[in-house]
Amino acid sequence: MSCTPEPPEAVRRCRLRIRGQVQGVGFRPHVYALARSRGLSGWVTNDTEGVLAEVQGHALPDFLSDLVDRAPPLARIDDIRVEDLRVEPRPVGTVAGEFAILESRRAGAVATEVPPDAAVCPACLEELFDPADRRYRYPFLTCTHCGPRFTITGRLPYDRPQTSMAGFPLCAACAAEYHDPADRRFHAQPIACPECGPHLSMPVDEIAARLAAGEILALKGLGGFHLACDARNGAAVARLRRAKQRDGKPFAVMVAGLASVGAFAEADAGEAALLASIERPVVLLRKSAGAAALADGIAPGLPWLGVLLPYTPLHYLLFHEAAGRPSGTGWLEVPQDLVLVMTSANVSGEPLVIDGADAARRLGGIADATVDHDRPIVVRADDGVVRQVAGRPLAVRRARGAVPTPVRLARPVPPVLALGAHFKSTVCLTRGADAFLSQHIGDLDTAEGLRFFEEAVAHLRRLVGSEPVLVAHDLHPDYASTRYAETLGLPTLAVQHHHAHIAAVAAEHGVAGRLLGLALDGVGMGDDGAAWGGELLEVDGPRFRRLGHLDELALPGGDAAATQPWRMAAAALHRLGRTDQIAPRLAQHGPAAELAELLRRDLRCPPTSSAGRLFDAAAGLLGLCPVASFEAEAAMRLEGLVGVPRVQAGGWSIDADNRLSLLPLLESLIGRGAQEGAELFHGTLVAALVDWVRRAAEATGLRQVALGGGCLVNKVLAEGLIEGLAGCGLAVLTARAVPPNDGGLALGQAWIAGLRAGETGE
Ligand SMILES: [Zn+2]
Ligand SMILES: [Zn+2]
């Protein structure tokens, strides 16, 4: 460090163009406060491109570095452009020597972002539990650093009149905070108080009392309704489980704070950070012995539990009430007894309910009462789901808290719209190098699901504001998304399912070059019309080559095999020349003799190279989960049994056509104990896949491999592959912020379509 004082810098004037997530996050007040504290003059405003400012004075470089380094918690700066201007004797648009926040400018194309919803911030929590505060126990308190954003915003720019807070004119006290540059709520769009803001349809003490009495309530939250009940009340959980019978998915549970997690689940430092992050996703944690104190029906037969922390003031108030209304926030630092089941309020297979009247109608048979409020939800968003894999988060479901933050592509592409597949649907729209992936929409089997899909497309187009020149869809002609693509009157591009899975991972990592792709998935249509799903690809942007695939098993009875793992066990026995054993071994699960006959005569037994079905076959042979009550249940149960994966010597072979066969492994599972079998299956599968990819890397000279497909949410499989392939000196790319399953497919389709549109100049 030099002791010589720097010569005083000359007065400069700059125009700043700041792009990224800079609206609705307190960025203008941040610029304002920094400028004022440094005696700079000028102005700042929001427009359709982000934040625009002019500043004049000394020491602008320091101002600029603070602008970035001390940015507000919800801000994300993608780009700042600084342009030198002529120094004004009197700064334009304001009183000389002062700094002003000017009205938003609305003209021109929309090119900025609305932030994701964020959990209540620490400052708001202090107010929520401070009996002297005017927002004490107010369920809708929020400020610049927290609260609803995406789910209340219909269009840009993000300003109160464009949100569902438009119907709540600010009272004098709130207006004073809103206009006071020194206040935490300065220009915070969703702010409110008990005087002027939204209200619940039921008092908090009554909600808490009903939950304590074993009722199931439909609770309106940020992005939709939850069904909530006391997680320790076996009768209530059993009733909820019966009501959602067709849907055997595990329920998530909510606890007061990190201090309350340890009683029934294990969370390492990374998992704790995920739980407490402002996105507040459901985090899949390993159950501990204490989980036995929770009702059986929450996550039956699985070693994991989906846990989330409160993220709205109402959630916190339920725990506060149960704790006896303590003052301050200290009580959150000690374990609290209350555990709530918090599961998406939907009828099986349909989208989340967001409207009070709809809740009463569609959830009437499930919930004992509905807790509504008068702040409309403009856009649905389920809770996000993540799990820690290889020490880093991996999105299982990308939803509230993560949308609409864009994925930055390797380079700008023409605007394209991608429509995903059929299950776990999401859609994606690009603008330049930004790819905006929608929130989780769900399955497209129902009329409600399709309506949500169309709404999500329309909302994304309004928020992103780009006009697509090409529409990408799955190769499968019968998917509702494919048929929808054909109604848009735009050029379309059919993208092979597993190519899209690998492209999604490449897109997330900003990789544009040639690479190897290992897609381990359920079933997707291949170029040859067959049911692919265990694919080794060479991907070169918009093109790919199938280098090899898993050796096929039959899908006996077609689609039914996807939900009945015992059928895949039958297919495996048939391939092993043990067709005679199908009936004696599997008759208790279904029509095994008939199935054996179909297999013998090769009737209604299309072949599949699906890795997901290979997991089913293994589970079926081990007698685990003969019939699945939800997607991938067999694979989850199998994974859940693994302590230490072990490799079966000679468990696989690779033939001259580069087909990887695991038949020797499947044969060795027959008659084994479930845990031993699960460990052998995982260990051997990983070793076989690593061997397969290593050989392809040697043959092609490619040193980078992307792992995609729904099987990659399996932690044992993903961690084994990452370690094994890195051990071969390969660079391994895995899905992270975007799910490896079909929830990320639209991103891959968009990247492929964008590259294709760029080539043809469409
Ligand atoms: Zn706040
Ligand atoms: Zn007010």
Side-chain angles (χ1 to χ4, degrees):
M1 262 185 91
S2 160
C3 297
T4 324
E6 297 271 327
E9 215 189 314
V11 171
R12 279 171 67 194
R13 182 175 188 82
C14 290
R15 176 175 293 151
L16 309 177
R17 158 59 68 201
I18 304 147
R19 290 191 179 84
Q21 188 175 285
V22 290
Q23 293 188 2
V25 296
F27 209 88
R28 287 176 304 167
H30 168 58
V31 175
Y32 174 91
L34 271 185
R36 293 269 298 218
S37 72
R38 294 173 171 277
L40 304 175
S41 61
W43 51 264
V44 60
T45 190
N46 275 349
D47 66 5
T48 52
E49 286 186 62
V51 166
L52 186 67
E54 285 189 17
V55 283
Q56 176 169 321
H58 298 282
L60 290 190
D62 287 354
F63 166 80
L64 287 173
S65 61
D66 279 356
L67 198 66
V68 175
D69 298 343
R70 290 161 58 187
L74 300 188
R76 194 198 69 244
I77 299 169
D78 290 341
D79 180 45
I80 297 189
R81 262 179 233 165
V82 182
E83 182 192 346
D84 269 301
L85 302 175
R86 224 182 38 186
V87 172
E88 298 275 348
R90 247 167 44 91
V92 174
T94 176
V95 180
E98 286 195 350
F99 203 88
I101 294 181
L102 305 182
E103 283 291 303
S104 293
R105 300 173 176 189
R106 302 244 163 108
V110 175
T112 187
E113 287 175 37
V114 60
D117 293 7
V120 193
C121 74
C124 282
L125 268 190
E126 293 293 341
E127 294 173 350
L128 188 64
F129 303 129
D130 174 3
D133 194 274
R134 71 188 191 91
R135 292 187 177 87
Y136 176 58
R137 290 175 57 87
Y138 178 54
F140 300 90
L141 100 164
T142 162
C143 76
T144 309
H145 307 307
C146 70
R149 298 291 187 276
F150 174 73
T151 54
I152 59 166
T153 307
R155 53 181 66 247
L156 288 176
Y158 169 69
D159 271 331
R160 192 172 178 103
Q162 317 265 34
T163 72
S164 63
M165 290 303 290
F168 299 95
L170 295 174
C171 68
C174 285
E177 292 168 334
Y178 184 88
H179 293 293
D180 175 4
D183 195 279
R184 194 174 91 250
R185 295 191 167 86
F186 180 58
H187 282 237
Q189 306 308 338
I191 65 164
C193 75
E195 193 73 25
C196 62
H199 285 95
L200 288 175
S201 66
M202 188 187 288
V204 169
D205 56 352
E206 186 185 340
I207 303 171
R210 281 172 175 259
L211 289 169
E215 288 196 12
I216 297 169
L217 298 184
L219 284 182
K220 188 173 176 182
L222 274 188
F225 277 79
H226 278 118
L227 287 166
C229 71
D230 179 353
R232 295 182 198 272
N233 186 322
V237 173
R239 212 151 55 82
L240 182 57
R241 179 57 73 196
R242 275 197 305 277
K244 293 192 88 183
Q245 198 171 23
R246 283 169 51 227
D247 176 350
K249 284 178 200 150
F251 296 146
V253 298
M254 182 180 279
V255 294
L258 284 178
S260 303
V261 174
F264 50 85
E266 296 163 10
D268 64 20
E271 288 162 336
L274 272 177
L275 282 165
S277 65
I278 57 171
E279 293 87 358
R280 287 291 204 283
V282 174
V283 183
L284 300 183
L285 300 178
R286 193 159 271 275
K287 286 177 183 169
S288 63
L294 302 181
D296 290 338
I298 291 175
L302 292 174
W304 308 284
L305 194 59
V307 180
L308 79 169
L309 299 188
Y311 55 87
T312 69
L314 172 59
H315 297 155
Y316 275 105
L317 289 171
L318 296 178
F319 291 97
H320 187 238
E321 192 72 39
R325 302 193 182 188
S327 292
T329 54
W331 61 281
L332 289 167
E333 312 296 324
V334 294
Q336 300 293 320
D337 284 339
L338 180 64
V339 184
L340 292 173
V341 166
M342 279 285 189
T343 189
S344 294
N346 57 358
V347 183
S348 213
E350 291 191 356
L352 192 58
V353 173
I354 58 171
D355 174 72
D358 214 21
R361 190 167 47 82
R362 284 165 63 202
L363 304 172
I366 304 178
D368 298 307
T370 296
V371 181
D372 199 358
H373 61 67
D374 51 358
R375 182 181 67 203
I377 296 171
V378 176
V379 201
R380 274 185 187 82
D382 285 84
D383 293 321
V385 180
V386 297
R387 104 183 277 196
Q388 193 82 344
V389 169
R392 291 167 58 204
L394 173 138
V396 176
R397 180 167 77 194
R398 189 174 177 275
R400 175 190 50 73
V403 283
T405 305
V407 173
R408 196 80 178 161
L409 300 172
R411 59 170 180 264
V413 293
V416 295
L417 174 66
L419 299 174
H422 191 75
F423 298 108
K424 299 185 182 67
S425 168
T426 59
V427 296
C428 183
L429 181 59
T430 66
R431 185 179 66 204
D434 284 333
F436 293 84
L437 186 64
S438 78
Q439 75 275 38
H440 167 81
I441 296 168
D443 299 347
L444 304 184
D445 284 327
T446 63
E448 289 284 335
L450 263 176
R451 198 171 314 141
F452 178 24
F453 171 82
E454 293 182 13
E455 276 169 26
V457 172
H459 184 251
L460 196 61
R461 288 177 80 161
R462 278 199 304 277
L463 277 196
V464 175
S466 64
E467 282 302 318
V469 297
L470 185 61
V471 179
H473 59 82
D474 195 88
L475 195 55
H476 201 302
D478 297 332
Y479 286 170
S481 51
T482 300
R483 292 197 296 270
Y484 177 77
E486 284 151 8
T487 67
L488 293 174
L490 291 164
T492 59
L493 178 71
V495 178
Q496 200 280 322
H497 194 90
H498 305 101
H499 181 200
H501 270 308
I502 299 307
V505 178
E508 185 183 346
H509 289 274
V511 170
R514 270 171 74 223
L515 45 70
L516 290 172
L518 179 63
L520 302 171
D521 200 26
V523 163
M525 182 178 277
D527 276 354
D528 54 3
W532 292 12
E535 310 301 315
L536 183 53
L537 308 178
E538 179 185 331
V539 171
D540 187 6
R543 274 162 289 274
F544 79 99
R545 195 159 65 93
R546 192 186 197 197
L547 297 177
H549 58 85
L550 290 184
D551 193 15
E552 288 102 338
L553 287 175
L555 279 170
D559 287 346
T563 54
Q564 300 182 14
W566 74 269
R567 287 174 181 257
M568 293 311 301
L573 288 171
H574 177 65
R575 270 303 300 275
L576 291 165
R578 295 167 177 252
T579 318
D580 291 346
Q581 296 174 19
I582 292 174
R585 284 182 182 276
L586 301 169
Q588 72 269 37
H589 307 308
E594 287 91 322
L595 212 66
E597 197 50 31
L598 288 182
L599 283 160
R600 266 194 204 99
R601 296 165 57 196
D602 194 17
L603 287 175
R604 288 198 290 125
C605 285
T608 183
S609 53
S610 163
R613 295 299 84 80
L614 184 66
F615 272 86
D616 287 350
L621 289 173
L622 293 168
L624 269 174
C625 191
V627 176
S629 65
F630 60 94
E631 197 234 342
E633 183 184 4
M636 285 174 73
R637 287 187 189 280
L638 202 59
E639 181 197 346
L641 288 173
V642 177
V644 180
R646 289 179 303 124
V647 180
Q648 168 79 45
W652 70 94
S653 63
I654 299 170
D655 72 10
D657 292 329
N658 205 18
R659 272 188 306 215
L660 173 63
S661 169
L662 290 134
L663 282 176
L665 168 64
L666 292 178
E667 182 143 49
S668 78
L669 297 182
I670 297 169
R672 287 225 193 235
Q675 178 174 352
E676 189 192 6
E679 293 179 344
L680 268 184
F681 180 75
H682 278 83
T684 310
L685 179 61
V686 167
L689 291 167
V690 168
D691 182 29
W692 198 33
V693 173
R694 181 185 52 78
R695 293 179 195 208
E698 280 165 14
T700 58
L702 295 172
R703 305 307 297 166
Q704 197 168 41
V705 57
L707 309 179
C711 297
L712 270 306
V713 302
N714 179 319
K715 185 178 161 89
V716 176
L717 177 69
E719 290 180 344
L721 288 173
I722 291 168
E723 192 188 335
L725 293 168
C728 301
L730 297 175
V732 186
L733 304 178
T734 55
R736 289 294 173 187
V738 174
N741 56 39
D742 283 8
L745 204 75
L747 174 65
Q749 293 173 340
W751 176 228
I752 291 166
L755 290 172
R756 187 65 70 88
E759 283 177 350
T760 58
E762 261 180 290

